[in-house]
């Protein structure tokens, strides 16, 4: 990455002197000297206090805080860097919302970026603070020399003495000092550009996110997605179990009770009465509600998939499908739960789409396990032209497949056939 101030200084050194760059570099170095002094004092204090209290155990926390001191320093430096660098630096840290101080500290100390930022804070506090103070002193003295004629005029008829033993009697006699001050400001302009560029170079090396940080964040995001999917699947199973063992059993009991009531009315020669008709109607409605609840339970997570695996669950779906489905699932053994679940819902989504949109007369479902890779193919002889991005069903399945490091492909030329292929590794 190029340093903008060095690039401007190298390409047009004369124009650099009369541009905004010297002022921006001066602001960057002078404020850096102030920040560096504060950082040096803070690090020294934390280190001394931490070492002094380490015998009682509290010092360990203080030393941990000292190690993480570079994180806020780096956040300030990324903002301050915009004075001399047009491109903002990305933050290498992931967000930790709602986390307490101690968990935040532990999480930050595990990140490599924290230690790079600590190194930058040390360089800033020692090296760049000294350079910034020297630059500030030279800049202030040069500005003072430039204004010497003004001071000589203000204090006249008294004399001004810049060099011991040599007094300046008036504004005209102070003009050589002004020339020296202008020369000093010129030196400050170019020296400030060089020093600011050096600090920017160190910041670009230590403060932005590097490939290792991005890789760590990708791994953490992947783990987070896996945890969310697992939690979602566990919740689906809980809802299915509660409906199966609770509401479904109560509806079965209600249907049986209504059947007994209907039989009792018939045995008392009350058939055809309004009460008997109401009981019969209530029993039919309870049966319909029970059928709907069973379909809902199967859609949440079918019990046959848990008990007997993917082949049996796919065959059961094929029997209920309005289009003839040929099932060719040949698996040597049971697959991991997440793989079976995503494969099952992929098949059901493909069959639902075939029944609703394709106009197919036949569908084939095939599944094979080659080594560690499960391949599931659903093919229909419909009209084709399917757009996977048009609906949220396949997109949601693709996201779940991606969590398992698999992939979902759909080929559907106009005129057919439409083929959906799922490939997912079983080492999860």
């Amino acid at each position: 990455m190029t340093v903008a101030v060095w690039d401007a200084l190298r390409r047009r050194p004369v124009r650099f002197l009369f541009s905004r760059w010297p002022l921006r570099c001066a602001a960057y170095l002078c404020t850096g000297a102030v920040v560096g002094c504060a950082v040096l004092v803070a690090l020294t204090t934390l280190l001394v206090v931490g070492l002094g209290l380490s015998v009682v155990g509290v010092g360990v926390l203080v030393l941990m805080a000292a190690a993480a001191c570079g994180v806020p320093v780096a956040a300030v430096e990324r903002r301050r860097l915009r004075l001399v660098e047009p491109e903002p630096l990305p933050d290498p840290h992931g967000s930790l919302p709602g986390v307490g101080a101690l968990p935040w500290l532990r999480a930050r100390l595990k990140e490599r970026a924290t230690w790079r930022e600590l190194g930058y804070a040390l360089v800033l506090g020692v090296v760049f603070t000294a350079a910034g103070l020297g630059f500030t002193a030279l800049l202030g003295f040069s500005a003072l020399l430039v204004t010497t004629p003004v001071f000589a005029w203000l204090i006249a008829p008294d004399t001004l003495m810049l060099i011991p033993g040599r007094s300046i009697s008036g504004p005209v006699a102070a003009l050589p000092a002004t020339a020296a001050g202008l020369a000093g400001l010129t030196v400050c302009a170019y020296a400030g550009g060089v020093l600011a560029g050096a600090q920017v170079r160190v910041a670009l090396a230590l403060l932005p996110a590097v490939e290792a940080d991005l890789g760590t964040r990708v791994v953490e995001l992947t783990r987070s997605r896996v945890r969310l999917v697992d939690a979602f699947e566990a919740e689906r199973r809980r809802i299915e179990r509660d409906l199966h063992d609770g509401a479904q059993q109560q509806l079965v009991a209600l249907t049986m009770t209504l059947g007994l009531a209907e039989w009792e009315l018939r045995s008392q020669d009350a058939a055809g009465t309004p009460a008997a008709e109401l009981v019969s109607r209530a029993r039919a409605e309870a049966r319909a509600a029970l059928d709907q609840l069973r379909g809902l339970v199967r859609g949440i997570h079918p019990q046959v998939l848990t008990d007997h695996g993917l082949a049996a669950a796919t065959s059961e779906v094929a029997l209920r499908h309005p289009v003839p489905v040929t099932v060719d699932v040949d698996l040597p053994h049971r697959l991991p739960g997440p793989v079976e679940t995503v494969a099952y819902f992929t098949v059901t989504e493909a069959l639902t789409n075939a029944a609703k949109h394709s106009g197919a007369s036949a569908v084939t479902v095939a599944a094979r396990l080659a080594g560690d890779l499960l391949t599931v193919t659903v093919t229909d002889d419909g009209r084709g032209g399917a757009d996977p991005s048009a609906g949220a069903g396949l997109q949601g399945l693709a996201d779940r497949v991606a969590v398992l490091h698999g992939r979902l492909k759909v080929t559907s030329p106009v005129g057919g056939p439409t083929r959906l292929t799922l490939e997912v590794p079983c080492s999860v």
Side-chain angles (χ1 to χ4, degrees):
M1 184 179 294
T2 60
V3 178
V5 60
W6 281 355
D7 189 48
L9 184 59
R10 181 177 59 253
R11 287 188 303 170
R12 296 177 177 177
V14 177
R15 180 175 292 187
F16 176 87
L17 185 62
F18 300 98
S19 67
R20 294 182 180 180
W21 278 111
L23 293 177
R24 295 166 67 178
C25 293
Y28 182 66
L29 292 173
C30 292
T31 57
V34 176
V35 174
C37 288
V39 170
L40 186 60
V41 171
L43 285 175
T44 303
T45 303
L46 290 174
L47 184 60
V48 172
V49 173
L51 292 176
L53 296 178
S54 60
V55 293
V56 294
V58 182
V60 177
L61 294 177
V62 180
L63 292 175
M64 292 172 61
C69 185
V71 177
V73 172
V76 173
E77 286 297 293
R78 290 188 193 95
R79 290 181 175 272
R80 210 171 57 83
L81 198 66
R82 297 301 300 276
L83 288 170
V84 290
E85 190 63 31
E87 292 295 329
L89 293 185
D91 191 346
H93 300 287
S95 60
L96 298 172
V99 176
L102 194 57
W104 180 91
L105 191 59
R106 286 198 298 263
R108 288 293 179 251
L109 291 179
K110 293 178 181 178
E111 297 174 338
R112 297 180 180 178
T114 301
W115 300 100
R116 293 199 307 271
E117 290 169 344
L118 177 61
Y120 178 85
L122 292 173
V123 175
L124 174 66
V126 177
V127 179
F128 291 126
T129 298
L133 290 175
F135 173 82
T136 304
L138 178 60
L139 180 64
F141 183 67
S142 300
L144 180 63
L145 290 178
V146 171
T147 58
T148 300
V150 177
F151 283 105
W153 175 74
L154 290 174
I155 66 174
D158 295 330
T159 60
L160 180 66
M161 185 177 295
L162 293 177
I163 301 175
R166 300 185 63 178
S167 61
I168 299 176
S169 58
V172 176
L175 289 179
T178 300
L182 291 175
L185 290 179
T186 303
V187 172
C188 285
Y190 290 115
V194 173
L195 290 176
Q199 190 167 344
V200 169
R201 172 65 73 183
V202 175
L204 294 178
L206 297 178
L207 296 185
V210 298
E211 187 175 352
D213 298 326
L214 297 177
T216 301
R217 292 176 67 176
V218 168
V219 170
E220 182 57 33
L221 287 174
T222 303
R223 290 175 178 173
S224 177
R225 289 181 63 185
V226 171
R227 288 193 296 268
L228 287 175
V229 170
D230 290 343
F232 174 71
E233 193 60 36
E235 186 66 15
R236 287 173 63 109
R237 290 175 180 267
R238 186 192 65 78
I239 294 174
E240 182 271 336
R241 187 167 55 250
D242 291 345
L243 291 176
H244 185 274
D245 298 337
Q248 183 171 313
Q249 299 304 321
Q250 292 177 0
L251 278 176
V252 171
L254 175 62
T255 304
M256 294 178 63
T257 302
L258 291 173
L260 291 174
E262 185 179 12
W263 180 80
E264 188 68 25
L265 289 173
R266 288 178 180 176
S267 65
Q268 295 178 3
D269 296 330
T273 62
E277 291 179 358
L278 286 174
V279 170
S280 178
R281 198 164 107 196
R283 186 185 181 193
E285 291 177 353
R287 284 178 176 174
L290 181 60
D291 291 338
Q292 291 180 359
L293 183 60
R294 284 172 176 167
L296 177 62
V297 170
R298 282 194 299 266
I300 294 175
H301 190 90
Q303 190 64 34
V304 65
L305 179 64
T306 303
D307 296 339
H308 302 289
L310 181 61
T314 304
S315 298
E316 184 189 49
V317 173
L319 291 175
R320 302 193 312 268
H321 200 263
V323 178
V325 179
T326 302
V327 178
D328 182 16
V329 178
D330 185 10
L331 302 175
H333 52 76
R334 290 291 300 270
L335 306 177
V339 176
E340 285 190 337
T341 300
V342 74
Y344 172 80
F345 284 108
T346 300
V347 170
T348 56
E349 181 69 23
L351 292 179
T352 300
N353 291 339
K356 287 182 178 180
H357 310 297
S358 71
S361 60
V363 183
T364 302
V365 179
R368 293 291 185 273
L369 184 64
D372 189 43
L373 184 67
L374 172 67
T375 302
V376 179
T377 305
V378 182
T379 307
D380 67 67
D381 60 355
R383 64 179 67 94
D387 183 8
S389 61
L394 286 178
Q395 185 60 51
L397 286 173
D399 293 339
R400 294 182 65 180
V401 171
V403 173
L404 299 179
H405 305 289
R407 60 177 181 171
L408 191 65
K409 298 185 296 183
V410 178
T411 57
S412 182
V414 177
T418 297
R419 174 173 295 177
L420 183 146
T421 304
L422 166 71
E423 294 179 351
V424 57
C426 295
S427 56
V428 295

